[in-house]
Amino acid sequence: MLNISGLGNGIVIDHIKAGKAMDIYHYLKLDRATCPVAIIMNAKSSKMGQKDIIKIDGPITVDINMLAVLDDQLTINIIENGKIVIKKNPTLPLEVTNIIKCKNPRCITSIEQELPHVFKLTNKDKRMYRCVYCEEAFKR
Amino acid sequence: MKHIISPLDFSVKELDDVLCLAEDIIADPKKYANVCNGKKLATLFYEPSTRTRLSFEAAMLNLGGNILGFSSADSSSAAKGESVADTIRVISSYADICAMRHPKEGAPMVAAKYSRIPVINAGDGGHNHPTQTLTDLLTIKNLKGRLNNLTVGLCGDLKFGRTVHSLINALVRYENIKFVLISPEELKIPAYIREEVLDANHVEYKEVSVLEDVMPELDLLYMTRVQKERFFNEEDYVRLKDLFILDMAKMEYAKDDMLVLHPLPRVNEISTEVDNDPRAVYFKQAEYGVYVRMALIMTLLEVEKPC
């Protein structure tokens, strides 16, 4: 079980796919955070076998739906006064810009660096995003 | 202003209008000889494609218009590092409509975003080639008389063949279409086409690996070339390229009114002995490519149909 007793007011991003915590860390620009940030990697999980967790002990605004694009299984716990006040499962946004990058070497974005990387949700059940330019599926 | 980037950018109704116009052009091409007088088509070909470029240019010349453009990236400002967006902004001042072929997928879509003139995707990498799909549909409609109630055999490279993927996407919009997918295991149709197009539209299909067995059931046989440039491994290419060769012995199994289509160029997947069979319509198909491009140019330029 996740121990959040050390957290006053902040956020716990739980159920991150094992090994993916640093992707979330960089997306949230936590390297610039001034509050304490803990990264737990490969923690035991009854549901997932192994998981990563990020604890942020301080005020931070997180668009959890955008995080879901990076990892569709994660959950967010908002902590106030040491207790979970909100537990959220993210909803996938229909379109995202510059959250994920197209890795198709044949895509126009591979040679024109200034183009925004835009993806559309094309299959909600499979949580599938496709690049709007080349339609390559984004693989998490 | 409308652009054609994907074969699905036209609704079935809009597509039908373009195909009807193309059929009218086939019936009386002279009537259309001057409808685009004073109009210019820019052919922006960042990679060589003689057949498609000449087809577009012939189409515009047949309509009485003029052409300008380049036929490789080396002879364009792309060689100096200019972006697609900047190029099309400039070309928009020089021409009334443009056809773009680009090795990078999505480039025509970027062009359309910044263009002040209609953009036609003339092929972007292994992605879309909508005017080939229009050509295929016109050939089927004109020679079979319908786009519904057809059993369509697709043979060869179904994995990398963009013409096949586009044709499936276009035909699933019509009633009672069945597909027979004929390929070796390594070149089977990608899972996303099966799941997101065929299954999602409840279209009947089967996957087989022997062409002769299914020949009698086909109304159309769409042959494709196994493309060397899609393989990283020469051995795989050599092993797979000759697996399906259509010859007169196989044509014996086909219906009398079955049509053989091919986007061309062919290498050896259709034996030249088949060329004289009246069911082999791939050269007619290339001719229809000009007519459908004429209809498309007229539609996008909103040129009135002559009386």
Side-chain angles (χ1 to χ4, degrees):
Chain A
M1 282 294 290
L2 174 64
N3 178 10
I4 55 154
S5 58
L7 229 60
N9 296 303
I11 293 173
V12 176
I13 306 170
D14 199 1
H15 300 110
I16 302 169
K17 253 177 228 157
K20 294 287 180 184
M22 292 310 289
D23 292 350
I24 308 287
Y25 179 87
H26 289 303
Y27 170 66
L28 292 175
K29 297 187 171 66
L30 292 175
D31 53 330
R32 296 181 207 166
T34 51
C35 59
V37 175
I39 299 168
I40 303 161
M41 297 187 76
N42 303 319
K44 275 188 183 170
S45 163
S46 54
K47 197 165 73 175
M48 303 168 67
Q50 281 189 316
K51 66 179 180 179
D52 290 358
I53 305 160
I54 299 176
K55 292 178 173 186
I56 306 158
D57 192 1
I60 180 167
T61 307
V62 176
D63 184 339
I64 62 165
N65 293 337
M66 290 302 172
L67 284 186
V69 178
L70 294 172
D71 183 339
D72 53 9
Q73 293 179 25
L74 60 76
T75 54
I76 308 277
N77 302 313
I78 311 283
I79 314 297
E80 282 180 20
N81 300 319
K83 289 183 179 167
I84 298 175
V85 292
I86 303 171
K87 195 163 186 158
K88 287 183 180 173
N89 289 312
T91 312
L92 291 171
L94 297 177
E95 187 175 301
V96 291
T97 301
N98 291 335
I99 304 294
I100 47 181
K101 296 221 172 238
C102 186
K103 294 170 188 165
N104 176 7
R106 298 180 305 275
C107 181
I108 184 68
T109 55
S110 70
I111 56 163
E112 298 214 349
Q113 312 299 330
E114 77 289 356
L115 284 174
H117 286 243
V118 184
F119 282 76
K120 280 197 169 153
L121 182 64
T122 56
N123 188 324
K124 206 175 171 186
D125 296 333
K126 291 195 167 181
R127 298 168 175 244
M128 170 85 75
Y129 281 90
R130 287 192 182 276
C131 172
V132 296
Y133 306 104
C134 68
E135 297 184 86
E136 183 91 344
F138 174 70
K139 292 185 181 73
R140 291 185 180 85
Chain B
M1 184 177 66
K2 194 169 174 69
H3 310 284
I4 293 300
I5 306 303
S6 150
L8 302 181
D9 285 347
F10 278 134
S11 67
V12 173
K13 166 75 175 69
E14 288 171 324
L15 192 57
D16 200 43
D17 290 344
V18 172
L19 298 180
C20 283
L21 177 57
E23 287 188 306
D24 199 59
I25 295 171
I26 292 170
D28 187 3
K30 281 185 184 164
K31 194 168 77 179
Y32 293 86
N34 294 304
V35 293
C36 282
N37 276 353
K39 302 278 187 188
K40 283 170 283 183
L41 165 76
T43 49
L44 313 179
F45 276 56
Y46 290 80
E47 65 176 2
S49 170
T50 314
R51 186 185 317 275
T52 305
R53 186 170 56 85
L54 293 186
S55 180
F56 268 108
E57 293 181 355
M60 192 50 160
L61 293 171
N62 286 348
L63 294 168
N66 290 301
I67 51 169
L68 66 163
F70 52 85
S71 56
S72 77
D74 297 344
S75 54
S76 80
S77 48
K80 297 172 191 161
E82 188 177 56
S83 67
V84 167
D86 282 2
T87 301
I88 197 68
R89 282 183 179 116
V90 175
I91 301 293
S92 293
S93 311
Y94 300 163
D96 300 285
I97 186 167
C98 88
M100 177 184 281
R101 156 83 49 123
H102 201 290
K104 292 295 180 184
E105 298 170 6
M109 185 193 179
V110 174
K113 195 174 164 191
Y114 295 95
S115 180
R116 286 181 280 113
I117 59 175
V119 175
I120 303 170
N121 181 0
D124 57 338
H127 186 213
N128 279 322
H129 193 357
T131 55
Q132 180 63 53
T133 308
L134 291 180
T135 301
D136 299 341
L137 294 177
L138 176 63
T139 308
I140 299 167
K141 184 171 187 281
N142 193 255
L143 299 179
K144 286 306 271 187
R146 64 184 191 277
L147 287 168
N148 54 10
N149 302 317
L150 292 167
T151 299
V152 181
L154 303 165
C155 180
D157 175 6
L158 308 187
K159 183 179 180 183
F160 299 110
R162 65 180 171 190
T163 54
V164 166
H165 303 168
S166 294
L167 187 59
I168 291 175
N169 264 302
L171 282 176
V172 296
R173 303 198 289 181
Y174 297 91
E175 280 179 12
N176 194 26
I177 297 291
K178 294 173 191 162
F179 290 105
V180 181
L181 308 170
I182 310 138
S183 70
E185 186 64 30
E186 295 89 337
L187 296 175
K188 277 170 76 171
I189 205 95
Y192 76 91
I193 299 280
R194 270 200 312 272
E195 293 163 10
E196 295 176 25
V197 184
L198 295 169
D199 294 340
N201 288 283
H202 311 290
V203 173
E204 198 179 311
Y205 68 95
K206 64 179 174 183
E207 296 182 284
V208 299
S209 54
V210 181
L211 178 57
E212 294 91 316
D213 292 354
V214 294
M215 283 293 269
E217 32 185 301
L218 305 179
D219 297 311
L220 297 172
L221 174 60
Y222 196 96
M223 295 293 295
T224 61
R225 176 170 59 102
V226 175
Q227 296 178 71
K228 191 176 182 181
E229 57 270 31
R230 305 286 180 216
F231 287 86
F232 293 113
N233 183 335
E234 175 92 14
E235 272 178 37
D236 285 346
Y237 168 70
V238 171
R239 185 168 53 82
L240 296 169
K241 73 182 175 66
D242 295 335
L243 276 183
F244 296 104
I245 295 177
L246 182 66
D247 53 21
M248 282 313 291
K250 292 191 182 87
M251 287 295 283
E252 291 291 316
Y253 296 103
K255 289 179 191 171
D256 291 342
D257 63 346
M258 187 196 78
L259 299 181
V260 183
L261 283 80
H262 190 301
L264 302 180
R266 73 158 156 200
V267 182
N268 63 343
E269 58 279 4
I270 301 179
S271 169
T272 51
E273 65 183 8
V274 179
D275 295 354
N276 294 326
D277 190 300
R279 293 170 291 184
V281 296
Y282 29 89
F283 293 116
K284 191 89 182 158
Q285 186 183 355
E287 182 189 335
Y288 280 12
V290 177
Y291 296 128
V292 90
R293 288 180 177 97
M294 289 167 74
L296 181 61
I297 290 168
M298 281 182 65
T299 303
L300 296 182
L301 287 177
E302 298 176 12
V303 172
E304 291 276 324
K305 186 177 163 183
C307 301

